[in-house]
Short mmCIF file of all heavy atoms in Angstrom, two decimals:
data_model
loop_
_atom_site.label_atom_id
_atom_site.label_comp_id
_atom_site.label_asym_id
_atom_site.label_seq_id
_atom_site.Cartn_x
_atom_site.Cartn_y
_atom_site.Cartn_z
N MET A 1 0.86 -1.20 0.00
CA MET A 1 0.00 0.00 0.00
C MET A 1 0.89 1.25 0.00
O MET A 1 1.79 1.37 0.81
CB MET A 1 -0.89 -0.04 1.25
CG MET A 1 -1.88 1.13 1.35
SD MET A 1 -3.29 1.04 0.22
CE MET A 1 -4.21 -0.33 0.93
N ALA A 2 0.61 2.14 -0.91
CA ALA A 2 1.45 3.33 -1.03
C ALA A 2 1.14 4.34 0.07
O ALA A 2 0.02 4.42 0.56
CB ALA A 2 1.23 3.98 -2.38
N LYS A 3 2.16 5.06 0.43
CA LYS A 3 1.96 6.15 1.38
C LYS A 3 1.32 7.33 0.66
O LYS A 3 1.73 7.67 -0.44
CB LYS A 3 3.32 6.62 1.93
CG LYS A 3 3.96 5.67 2.90
CD LYS A 3 5.25 6.30 3.41
CE LYS A 3 6.00 5.35 4.31
NZ LYS A 3 7.27 5.94 4.79
N ILE A 4 0.35 7.91 1.31
CA ILE A 4 -0.25 9.13 0.78
C ILE A 4 0.19 10.26 1.67
O ILE A 4 -0.16 10.31 2.87
CB ILE A 4 -1.80 9.03 0.78
CG1 ILE A 4 -2.24 7.83 -0.04
CG2 ILE A 4 -2.41 10.33 0.25
CD1 ILE A 4 -3.66 7.38 0.24
N LYS A 5 0.97 11.14 1.13
CA LYS A 5 1.49 12.22 1.96
C LYS A 5 0.41 13.26 2.23
O LYS A 5 -0.30 13.69 1.32
CB LYS A 5 2.69 12.87 1.28
CG LYS A 5 3.51 13.64 2.27
CD LYS A 5 4.81 14.16 1.68
CE LYS A 5 5.47 15.05 2.72
NZ LYS A 5 6.53 15.89 2.14
N LEU A 6 0.29 13.63 3.48
CA LEU A 6 -0.68 14.65 3.89
C LEU A 6 0.09 15.90 4.30
O LEU A 6 1.30 15.85 4.52
CB LEU A 6 -1.52 14.13 5.06
CG LEU A 6 -2.27 12.82 4.79
CD1 LEU A 6 -2.87 12.27 6.07
CD2 LEU A 6 -3.34 13.01 3.73
N ASN A 7 -0.63 16.99 4.41
CA ASN A 7 0.02 18.26 4.74
C ASN A 7 0.03 18.51 6.24
O ASN A 7 -1.00 18.80 6.83
CB ASN A 7 -0.70 19.39 4.00
CG ASN A 7 0.07 20.69 4.10
OD1 ASN A 7 1.06 20.79 4.83
ND2 ASN A 7 -0.37 21.69 3.36
N PHE A 8 1.19 18.41 6.81
CA PHE A 8 1.32 18.60 8.26
C PHE A 8 0.83 19.98 8.69
O PHE A 8 0.28 20.15 9.77
CB PHE A 8 2.79 18.41 8.66
CG PHE A 8 3.01 18.39 10.15
CD1 PHE A 8 2.66 17.28 10.89
CD2 PHE A 8 3.57 19.48 10.80
CE1 PHE A 8 2.85 17.26 12.27
CE2 PHE A 8 3.78 19.46 12.18
CZ PHE A 8 3.41 18.34 12.91
N ASP A 9 1.02 20.95 7.80
CA ASP A 9 0.62 22.32 8.13
C ASP A 9 -0.89 22.48 8.24
O ASP A 9 -1.39 23.49 8.74
CB ASP A 9 1.16 23.30 7.09
CG ASP A 9 2.68 23.37 7.13
OD1 ASP A 9 3.25 23.17 8.22
OD2 ASP A 9 3.29 23.62 6.07
N GLU A 10 -1.64 21.49 7.73
CA GLU A 10 -3.09 21.58 7.83
C GLU A 10 -3.63 21.15 9.19
O GLU A 10 -4.79 21.36 9.50
CB GLU A 10 -3.75 20.74 6.72
CG GLU A 10 -3.68 21.44 5.38
CD GLU A 10 -4.26 20.61 4.26
OE1 GLU A 10 -4.84 19.56 4.54
OE2 GLU A 10 -4.11 21.03 3.10
N LEU A 11 -2.78 20.54 9.98
CA LEU A 11 -3.19 20.21 11.35
C LEU A 11 -3.26 21.49 12.16
O LEU A 11 -2.56 22.46 11.86
CB LEU A 11 -2.17 19.25 11.98
CG LEU A 11 -2.06 17.87 11.36
CD1 LEU A 11 -0.82 17.16 11.87
CD2 LEU A 11 -3.30 17.05 11.66
N SER A 12 -4.06 21.49 13.17
CA SER A 12 -4.16 22.68 14.02
C SER A 12 -2.86 22.85 14.80
O SER A 12 -2.13 21.88 15.02
CB SER A 12 -5.34 22.55 14.97
OG SER A 12 -5.01 21.62 15.99
N PRO A 13 -2.55 24.07 15.23
CA PRO A 13 -1.32 24.30 16.01
C PRO A 13 -1.23 23.37 17.22
O PRO A 13 -0.14 22.88 17.54
CB PRO A 13 -1.46 25.76 16.44
CG PRO A 13 -2.26 26.38 15.35
CD PRO A 13 -3.26 25.33 14.93
N LEU A 14 -2.36 23.12 17.85
CA LEU A 14 -2.37 22.22 19.02
C LEU A 14 -1.95 20.81 18.64
O LEU A 14 -1.17 20.16 19.31
CB LEU A 14 -3.78 22.16 19.61
CG LEU A 14 -4.06 22.98 20.87
CD1 LEU A 14 -5.50 22.77 21.32
CD2 LEU A 14 -3.09 22.58 21.98
N GLU A 15 -2.52 20.34 17.53
CA GLU A 15 -2.17 18.98 17.07
C GLU A 15 -0.70 18.92 16.66
O GLU A 15 0.00 17.96 16.98
CB GLU A 15 -3.04 18.60 15.88
CG GLU A 15 -4.47 18.29 16.28
CD GLU A 15 -5.36 18.08 15.07
OE1 GLU A 15 -5.26 18.85 14.09
OE2 GLU A 15 -6.14 17.14 15.08
N GLN A 16 -0.26 19.96 15.98
CA GLN A 16 1.15 19.98 15.56
C GLN A 16 2.06 19.90 16.76
O GLN A 16 3.02 19.14 16.79
CB GLN A 16 1.44 21.25 14.77
CG GLN A 16 0.79 21.27 13.41
CD GLN A 16 1.29 22.42 12.56
OE1 GLN A 16 2.39 22.90 12.74
NE2 GLN A 16 0.46 22.85 11.63
N GLU A 17 1.74 20.70 17.77
CA GLU A 17 2.58 20.72 18.96
C GLU A 17 2.56 19.35 19.64
O GLU A 17 3.58 18.83 20.06
CB GLU A 17 2.08 21.80 19.92
CG GLU A 17 3.06 22.02 21.07
CD GLU A 17 2.52 23.00 22.10
OE1 GLU A 17 1.77 23.91 21.72
OE2 GLU A 17 2.85 22.82 23.27
N TRP A 18 1.35 18.77 19.70
CA TRP A 18 1.21 17.46 20.35
C TRP A 18 2.05 16.42 19.63
O TRP A 18 2.81 15.67 20.24
CB TRP A 18 -0.28 17.08 20.36
CG TRP A 18 -0.57 15.93 21.28
CD1 TRP A 18 -0.84 16.01 22.62
CD2 TRP A 18 -0.63 14.55 20.94
NE1 TRP A 18 -1.04 14.75 23.13
CE2 TRP A 18 -0.93 13.84 22.13
CE3 TRP A 18 -0.45 13.84 19.75
CZ2 TRP A 18 -1.05 12.45 22.14
CZ3 TRP A 18 -0.58 12.46 19.78
CH2 TRP A 18 -0.87 11.78 20.96
N PHE A 19 1.94 16.39 18.31
CA PHE A 19 2.66 15.36 17.56
C PHE A 19 4.17 15.58 17.57
O PHE A 19 4.94 14.65 17.40
CB PHE A 19 2.16 15.30 16.11
CG PHE A 19 0.74 14.82 16.02
CD1 PHE A 19 -0.18 15.47 15.22
CD2 PHE A 19 0.33 13.70 16.73
CE1 PHE A 19 -1.49 15.03 15.14
CE2 PHE A 19 -0.97 13.24 16.64
CZ PHE A 19 -1.88 13.91 15.85
N LEU A 20 4.59 16.82 17.75
CA LEU A 20 6.02 17.11 17.75
C LEU A 20 6.67 16.85 19.11
O LEU A 20 7.88 16.76 19.21
CB LEU A 20 6.28 18.57 17.36
CG LEU A 20 6.01 18.90 15.89
CD1 LEU A 20 6.23 20.37 15.64
CD2 LEU A 20 6.89 18.07 14.97
N THR A 21 5.84 16.75 20.13
CA THR A 21 6.42 16.59 21.47
C THR A 21 6.06 15.27 22.15
O THR A 21 6.85 14.74 22.92
CB THR A 21 5.99 17.75 22.39
OG1 THR A 21 4.56 17.80 22.42
CG2 THR A 21 6.51 19.08 21.89
N GLU A 22 4.86 14.76 21.86
CA GLU A 22 4.40 13.55 22.55
C GLU A 22 4.85 12.30 21.79
O GLU A 22 4.04 11.50 21.34
CB GLU A 22 2.87 13.55 22.67
CG GLU A 22 2.32 14.72 23.44
CD GLU A 22 2.59 14.61 24.93
OE1 GLU A 22 2.37 13.54 25.50
OE2 GLU A 22 3.03 15.62 25.50
N THR A 23 6.14 12.15 21.63
CA THR A 23 6.65 10.99 20.91
C THR A 23 7.51 10.15 21.84
O THR A 23 8.03 10.64 22.84
CB THR A 23 7.51 11.42 19.72
OG1 THR A 23 8.57 12.22 20.20
CG2 THR A 23 6.69 12.19 18.70
N ARG A 24 7.66 8.92 21.45
CA ARG A 24 8.51 8.04 22.22
C ARG A 24 9.61 7.53 21.31
O ARG A 24 9.37 7.13 20.18
CB ARG A 24 7.68 6.86 22.74
CG ARG A 24 8.53 5.89 23.50
CD ARG A 24 7.79 4.70 24.07
NE ARG A 24 8.79 3.89 24.75
CZ ARG A 24 9.22 4.16 25.97
NH1 ARG A 24 8.72 5.17 26.64
NH2 ARG A 24 10.17 3.43 26.52
N CYS A 25 10.84 7.56 21.80
CA CYS A 25 11.95 7.06 21.01
C CYS A 25 12.39 5.71 21.55
O CYS A 25 12.78 5.59 22.72
CB CYS A 25 13.12 8.05 21.05
SG CYS A 25 14.55 7.44 20.14
N ASP A 26 12.30 4.68 20.70
CA ASP A 26 12.69 3.34 21.13
C ASP A 26 14.19 3.22 21.35
O ASP A 26 14.66 2.45 22.17
CB ASP A 26 12.25 2.30 20.09
CG ASP A 26 10.74 2.16 20.06
OD1 ASP A 26 10.11 2.41 21.11
OD2 ASP A 26 10.20 1.82 19.00
N LYS A 27 14.93 4.01 20.59
CA LYS A 27 16.38 3.94 20.69
C LYS A 27 16.87 4.57 22.00
O LYS A 27 17.70 4.02 22.70
CB LYS A 27 17.01 4.65 19.49
CG LYS A 27 18.44 4.26 19.25
CD LYS A 27 18.94 4.80 17.92
CE LYS A 27 20.42 4.52 17.78
NZ LYS A 27 20.99 5.22 16.61
N CYS A 28 16.30 5.75 22.31
CA CYS A 28 16.66 6.40 23.58
C CYS A 28 15.93 5.74 24.75
O CYS A 28 16.33 5.91 25.89
CB CYS A 28 16.27 7.88 23.55
SG CYS A 28 17.10 8.84 22.29
N ASN A 29 14.85 5.03 24.43
CA ASN A 29 14.00 4.42 25.46
C ASN A 29 13.46 5.48 26.41
O ASN A 29 13.43 5.29 27.62
CB ASN A 29 14.74 3.32 26.21
CG ASN A 29 13.76 2.40 26.95
OD1 ASN A 29 12.62 2.24 26.52
ND2 ASN A 29 14.20 1.82 28.04
N GLU A 30 13.05 6.59 25.83
CA GLU A 30 12.47 7.67 26.62
C GLU A 30 11.25 8.21 25.88
O GLU A 30 11.17 8.13 24.65
CB GLU A 30 13.46 8.83 26.76
CG GLU A 30 14.56 8.59 27.77
CD GLU A 30 15.45 9.83 27.89
OE1 GLU A 30 14.91 10.91 28.14
OE2 GLU A 30 16.66 9.69 27.70
N ALA A 31 10.33 8.77 26.65
CA ALA A 31 9.13 9.36 26.07
C ALA A 31 9.27 10.88 26.01
O ALA A 31 10.11 11.47 26.68
CB ALA A 31 7.92 8.98 26.88
N ASP A 32 8.42 11.48 25.20
CA ASP A 32 8.30 12.93 25.13
C ASP A 32 9.60 13.65 24.77
O ASP A 32 9.86 14.75 25.25
CB ASP A 32 7.78 13.51 26.46
CG ASP A 32 6.48 12.85 26.90
OD1 ASP A 32 5.81 12.27 26.04
OD2 ASP A 32 6.17 12.91 28.08
N LEU A 33 10.39 13.03 23.94
CA LEU A 33 11.62 13.69 23.52
C LEU A 33 11.35 14.69 22.41
O LEU A 33 12.03 15.71 22.29
CB LEU A 33 12.64 12.66 23.02
CG LEU A 33 13.23 11.75 24.09
CD1 LEU A 33 14.06 10.66 23.46
CD2 LEU A 33 14.06 12.56 25.06
N GLY A 34 10.36 14.38 21.61
CA GLY A 34 10.05 15.27 20.49
C GLY A 34 10.75 14.84 19.22
O GLY A 34 11.72 14.09 19.23
N ILE A 35 10.22 15.32 18.09
CA ILE A 35 10.79 14.99 16.79
C ILE A 35 10.97 16.27 15.97
O ILE A 35 10.35 17.29 16.24
CB ILE A 35 9.90 14.01 15.99
CG1 ILE A 35 8.46 14.55 15.86
CG2 ILE A 35 9.91 12.63 16.62
CD1 ILE A 35 7.62 13.83 14.82
N VAL A 36 11.82 16.14 14.97
CA VAL A 36 11.99 17.22 13.99
C VAL A 36 11.72 16.65 12.61
O VAL A 36 11.64 15.42 12.43
CB VAL A 36 13.41 17.83 14.04
CG1 VAL A 36 13.62 18.58 15.35
CG2 VAL A 36 14.47 16.76 13.87
N ASP A 37 11.56 17.53 11.63
CA ASP A 37 11.27 17.13 10.25
C ASP A 37 10.05 16.20 10.15
O ASP A 37 10.14 15.10 9.59
CB ASP A 37 12.47 16.43 9.60
CG ASP A 37 13.70 17.32 9.54
OD1 ASP A 37 13.53 18.55 9.55
OD2 ASP A 37 14.81 16.79 9.50
N PRO A 38 8.91 16.60 10.69
CA PRO A 38 7.74 15.72 10.68
C PRO A 38 7.19 15.49 9.27
O PRO A 38 7.18 16.41 8.44
CB PRO A 38 6.72 16.49 11.52
CG PRO A 38 7.09 17.92 11.36
CD PRO A 38 8.60 17.92 11.27
N VAL A 39 6.80 14.26 9.03
CA VAL A 39 6.12 13.91 7.79
C VAL A 39 4.80 13.25 8.19
O VAL A 39 4.79 12.30 8.98
CB VAL A 39 6.96 12.93 6.93
CG1 VAL A 39 6.21 12.57 5.66
CG2 VAL A 39 8.31 13.54 6.60
N TYR A 40 3.73 13.76 7.65
CA TYR A 40 2.40 13.29 8.00
C TYR A 40 1.86 12.53 6.81
O TYR A 40 1.84 13.06 5.69
CB TYR A 40 1.54 14.53 8.31
CG TYR A 40 0.07 14.33 8.60
CD1 TYR A 40 -0.39 13.23 9.32
CD2 TYR A 40 -0.85 15.29 8.20
CE1 TYR A 40 -1.74 13.10 9.60
CE2 TYR A 40 -2.20 15.18 8.48
CZ TYR A 40 -2.64 14.07 9.18
OH TYR A 40 -3.97 13.96 9.45
N TYR A 41 1.47 11.27 7.00
CA TYR A 41 0.99 10.50 5.86
C TYR A 41 -0.04 9.46 6.26
O TYR A 41 -0.18 9.12 7.43
CB TYR A 41 2.16 9.84 5.11
CG TYR A 41 2.91 8.80 5.91
CD1 TYR A 41 2.55 7.44 5.84
CD2 TYR A 41 3.98 9.15 6.72
CE1 TYR A 41 3.23 6.48 6.56
CE2 TYR A 41 4.67 8.19 7.45
CZ TYR A 41 4.29 6.86 7.36
OH TYR A 41 4.96 5.91 8.08
N ARG A 42 -0.74 8.98 5.26
CA ARG A 42 -1.74 7.94 5.46
C ARG A 42 -1.28 6.70 4.71
O ARG A 42 -0.82 6.78 3.57
CB ARG A 42 -3.09 8.41 4.91
CG ARG A 42 -4.23 7.41 5.18
CD ARG A 42 -5.56 7.93 4.64
NE ARG A 42 -5.97 9.16 5.30
CZ ARG A 42 -6.39 10.25 4.67
NH1 ARG A 42 -6.46 10.28 3.37
NH2 ARG A 42 -6.75 11.31 5.34
N GLU A 43 -1.40 5.56 5.36
CA GLU A 43 -1.02 4.31 4.72
C GLU A 43 -1.97 3.23 5.21
O GLU A 43 -2.15 3.07 6.42
CB GLU A 43 0.43 3.96 5.08
CG GLU A 43 0.96 2.74 4.34
CD GLU A 43 2.44 2.51 4.63
OE1 GLU A 43 2.92 2.88 5.70
OE2 GLU A 43 3.11 1.94 3.75
N ASP A 44 -2.57 2.51 4.27
CA ASP A 44 -3.46 1.41 4.63
C ASP A 44 -4.59 1.87 5.56
O ASP A 44 -4.97 1.17 6.49
CB ASP A 44 -2.63 0.30 5.31
CG ASP A 44 -3.34 -1.05 5.23
OD1 ASP A 44 -4.29 -1.17 4.43
OD2 ASP A 44 -2.96 -1.95 5.99
N GLY A 45 -5.09 3.08 5.31
CA GLY A 45 -6.22 3.60 6.08
C GLY A 45 -5.88 4.16 7.45
O GLY A 45 -6.75 4.60 8.18
N LYS A 46 -4.60 4.13 7.79
CA LYS A 46 -4.17 4.67 9.08
C LYS A 46 -3.29 5.89 8.83
O LYS A 46 -2.65 6.00 7.79
CB LYS A 46 -3.38 3.64 9.87
CG LYS A 46 -4.20 2.42 10.25
CD LYS A 46 -3.30 1.38 10.87
CE LYS A 46 -4.07 0.09 11.13
NZ LYS A 46 -3.18 -1.00 11.52
N GLU A 47 -3.25 6.76 9.83
CA GLU A 47 -2.42 7.96 9.69
C GLU A 47 -1.22 7.89 10.62
O GLU A 47 -1.32 7.38 11.74
CB GLU A 47 -3.26 9.21 9.99
CG GLU A 47 -4.33 9.42 8.94
CD GLU A 47 -5.14 10.68 9.15
OE1 GLU A 47 -4.84 11.44 10.09
OE2 GLU A 47 -6.07 10.90 8.36
N PHE A 48 -0.14 8.39 10.12
CA PHE A 48 1.12 8.33 10.88
C PHE A 48 1.85 9.66 10.82
O PHE A 48 1.69 10.42 9.86
CB PHE A 48 2.06 7.28 10.26
CG PHE A 48 1.49 5.89 10.26
CD1 PHE A 48 0.72 5.46 9.19
CD2 PHE A 48 1.72 5.02 11.31
CE1 PHE A 48 0.20 4.16 9.16
CE2 PHE A 48 1.20 3.73 11.29
CZ PHE A 48 0.44 3.30 10.23
N ILE A 49 2.64 9.89 11.82
CA ILE A 49 3.60 10.99 11.81
C ILE A 49 4.98 10.36 11.92
O ILE A 49 5.25 9.57 12.81
CB ILE A 49 3.42 11.94 13.03
CG1 ILE A 49 2.03 12.57 13.05
CG2 ILE A 49 4.50 13.00 13.03
CD1 ILE A 49 1.84 13.72 12.11
N GLU A 50 5.82 10.72 10.96
CA GLU A 50 7.18 10.21 10.98
C GLU A 50 8.12 11.40 11.18
O GLU A 50 7.92 12.45 10.60
CB GLU A 50 7.47 9.54 9.62
CG GLU A 50 8.83 8.91 9.53
CD GLU A 50 9.05 8.30 8.14
OE1 GLU A 50 8.23 7.50 7.70
OE2 GLU A 50 10.04 8.69 7.50
N GLY A 51 9.11 11.21 12.01
CA GLY A 51 10.06 12.30 12.24
C GLY A 51 11.30 11.76 12.90
O GLY A 51 11.38 10.59 13.26
N LYS A 52 12.27 12.64 13.07
CA LYS A 52 13.53 12.21 13.67
C LYS A 52 13.59 12.66 15.12
O LYS A 52 13.26 13.79 15.46
CB LYS A 52 14.70 12.83 12.90
CG LYS A 52 14.76 12.41 11.46
CD LYS A 52 16.05 12.89 10.81
CE LYS A 52 16.06 12.58 9.33
NZ LYS A 52 15.74 13.76 8.53
N CYS A 53 14.03 11.74 15.96
CA CYS A 53 14.18 12.02 17.39
C CYS A 53 15.10 13.22 17.58
O CYS A 53 16.18 13.28 16.98
CB CYS A 53 14.77 10.79 18.08
SG CYS A 53 15.24 11.07 19.79
N LYS A 54 14.67 14.15 18.41
CA LYS A 54 15.48 15.35 18.65
C LYS A 54 16.80 15.03 19.32
O LYS A 54 17.77 15.76 19.20
CB LYS A 54 14.71 16.33 19.55
CG LYS A 54 13.78 17.25 18.81
CD LYS A 54 13.15 18.24 19.78
CE LYS A 54 12.09 19.08 19.07
NZ LYS A 54 11.28 19.83 20.04
N LYS A 55 16.81 13.93 20.05
CA LYS A 55 18.01 13.59 20.82
C LYS A 55 19.02 12.78 20.02
O LYS A 55 20.20 13.11 19.97
CB LYS A 55 17.58 12.84 22.08
CG LYS A 55 18.66 12.70 23.12
CD LYS A 55 18.07 12.11 24.39
CE LYS A 55 19.15 11.77 25.40
NZ LYS A 55 18.55 11.07 26.57
N CYS A 56 18.55 11.70 19.37
CA CYS A 56 19.50 10.81 18.70
C CYS A 56 19.37 10.81 17.18
O CYS A 56 20.23 10.26 16.49
CB CYS A 56 19.34 9.38 19.23
SG CYS A 56 17.83 8.59 18.70
N GLY A 57 18.29 11.40 16.66
CA GLY A 57 18.14 11.48 15.21
C GLY A 57 17.54 10.25 14.57
O GLY A 57 17.36 10.21 13.35
N ALA A 58 17.22 9.22 15.35
CA ALA A 58 16.60 8.01 14.80
C ALA A 58 15.18 8.33 14.32
O ALA A 58 14.48 9.13 14.92
CB ALA A 58 16.55 6.91 15.85
N VAL A 59 14.79 7.69 13.22
CA VAL A 59 13.45 7.93 12.68
C VAL A 59 12.41 7.24 13.55
O VAL A 59 12.53 6.05 13.86
CB VAL A 59 13.36 7.44 11.23
CG1 VAL A 59 11.91 7.51 10.73
CG2 VAL A 59 14.26 8.26 10.33
N GLN A 60 11.42 8.00 13.97
CA GLN A 60 10.33 7.49 14.78
C GLN A 60 9.04 7.59 13.99
O GLN A 60 8.78 8.60 13.37
CB GLN A 60 10.18 8.31 16.06
CG GLN A 60 11.42 8.35 16.91
CD GLN A 60 11.90 6.98 17.29
OE1 GLN A 60 11.12 6.11 17.63
NE2 GLN A 60 13.21 6.75 17.20
N ILE A 61 8.26 6.52 14.01
CA ILE A 61 6.97 6.55 13.35
C ILE A 61 5.89 6.37 14.40
O ILE A 61 5.90 5.40 15.15
CB ILE A 61 6.87 5.45 12.28
CG1 ILE A 61 7.93 5.68 11.21
CG2 ILE A 61 5.47 5.46 11.65
CD1 ILE A 61 8.07 4.55 10.21
N THR A 62 4.99 7.33 14.47
CA THR A 62 3.92 7.29 15.46
C THR A 62 2.58 7.15 14.75
O THR A 62 2.24 7.97 13.89
CB THR A 62 3.91 8.61 16.29
OG1 THR A 62 5.20 8.83 16.83
CG2 THR A 62 2.87 8.54 17.40
N GLU A 63 1.85 6.10 15.09
CA GLU A 63 0.52 5.96 14.52
C GLU A 63 -0.43 6.86 15.28
O GLU A 63 -0.39 6.94 16.51
CB GLU A 63 0.04 4.51 14.61
CG GLU A 63 -1.30 4.32 13.94
CD GLU A 63 -1.83 2.90 14.09
OE1 GLU A 63 -1.07 2.00 14.45
OE2 GLU A 63 -3.04 2.72 13.84
N ILE A 64 -1.28 7.54 14.54
CA ILE A 64 -2.26 8.40 15.18
C ILE A 64 -3.46 7.55 15.53
O ILE A 64 -4.25 7.19 14.67
CB ILE A 64 -2.66 9.56 14.26
CG1 ILE A 64 -1.41 10.37 13.90
CG2 ILE A 64 -3.70 10.45 14.94
CD1 ILE A 64 -1.66 11.46 12.89
N VAL A 65 -3.56 7.18 16.79
CA VAL A 65 -4.63 6.29 17.22
C VAL A 65 -5.74 7.05 17.96
O VAL A 65 -6.84 6.58 18.07
CB VAL A 65 -4.12 5.15 18.12
CG1 VAL A 65 -3.34 4.15 17.31
CG2 VAL A 65 -3.29 5.68 19.25
N VAL A 66 -5.39 8.21 18.45
CA VAL A 66 -6.40 8.98 19.17
C VAL A 66 -7.25 9.75 18.17
O VAL A 66 -6.81 10.06 17.07
CB VAL A 66 -5.77 9.98 20.16
CG1 VAL A 66 -5.13 9.23 21.31
CG2 VAL A 66 -4.78 10.87 19.47
N GLN A 67 -8.44 10.04 18.57
CA GLN A 67 -9.31 10.87 17.76
C GLN A 67 -8.68 12.24 17.66
O GLN A 67 -8.13 12.73 18.62
CB GLN A 67 -10.68 10.99 18.45
CG GLN A 67 -11.74 11.49 17.51
CD GLN A 67 -12.69 10.36 17.17
OE1 GLN A 67 -13.30 9.80 18.05
NE2 GLN A 67 -12.81 10.03 15.91
N LYS A 68 -8.76 12.81 16.49
CA LYS A 68 -8.20 14.14 16.33
C LYS A 68 -8.87 15.11 17.29
O LYS A 68 -10.07 15.04 17.52
CB LYS A 68 -8.39 14.63 14.90
CG LYS A 68 -7.37 14.04 13.96
CD LYS A 68 -7.48 14.70 12.61
CE LYS A 68 -6.51 14.04 11.65
NZ LYS A 68 -6.67 14.58 10.32
N LEU A 69 -8.06 16.01 17.79
CA LEU A 69 -8.59 17.01 18.72
C LEU A 69 -9.60 17.88 18.02
O LEU A 69 -9.41 18.27 16.88
CB LEU A 69 -7.44 17.88 19.24
CG LEU A 69 -6.33 17.15 19.98
CD1 LEU A 69 -5.17 18.09 20.23
CD2 LEU A 69 -6.84 16.61 21.29
N LYS A 70 -10.65 18.18 18.73
CA LYS A 70 -11.67 19.06 18.16
C LYS A 70 -11.34 20.50 18.52
O LYS A 70 -10.75 20.77 19.56
CB LYS A 70 -13.06 18.70 18.72
CG LYS A 70 -13.49 17.29 18.39
CD LYS A 70 -14.07 17.21 16.97
CE LYS A 70 -14.64 15.85 16.63
NZ LYS A 70 -13.62 14.88 16.20
N GLN A 71 -11.73 21.37 17.64
CA GLN A 71 -11.45 22.80 17.88
C GLN A 71 -12.22 23.27 19.10
O GLN A 71 -13.37 22.95 19.25
CB GLN A 71 -11.88 23.63 16.68
CG GLN A 71 -11.06 23.35 15.44
CD GLN A 71 -9.67 24.01 15.49
OE1 GLN A 71 -9.35 24.70 16.44
NE2 GLN A 71 -8.86 23.75 14.48
ZN1 LIG B 1 16.15 9.01 20.33
#
């Protein structure tokens, strides 16, 4: 299934902040480290945010499982 790239800038500022900070890095084995260079995409009906750990630079992929925040 191909990745469908979505526009990260279309997320609300709150969602953007949440996705950029509420990440877990398996390599650092720590939560809430944050990511840089976020890529927002849909694959196989699910949405993901991919980015690099701010601390070690490893690529982290976070599935968006929570309901999107309402305005
Ligand atoms: Zn890390």
Side-chain angles (χ1 to χ4, degrees):
M1 182 74 70
K3 287 183 185 179
I4 302 161
K5 199 173 174 196
L6 303 170
N7 190 353
F8 188 75
D9 294 330
E10 284 177 7
L11 294 167
S12 74
L14 258 181
E15 287 173 317
Q16 290 190 26
E17 190 185 329
W18 194 86
F19 293 134
L20 289 177
T21 56
E22 300 288 314
T23 58
R24 178 179 179 81
C25 178
D26 291 332
K27 199 170 173 189
C28 298
N29 198 28
E30 283 183 54
D32 306 339
L33 290 172
I35 54 166
V36 292
D37 299 335
V39 179
Y40 175 37
Y41 65 92
R42 184 179 297 132
E43 186 175 28
D44 201 16
K46 296 173 186 170
E47 293 183 3
F48 300 89
I49 299 281
E50 183 182 306
K52 298 188 185 101
C53 172
K54 274 184 186 168
K55 193 172 172 186
C56 71
V59 172
Q60 302 303 318
I61 298 171
T62 307
E63 184 183 345
I64 302 174
V65 288
V66 291
Q67 197 108 60
K68 281 188 184 176
L69 300 171
K70 299 279 186 277
Q71 294 283 358

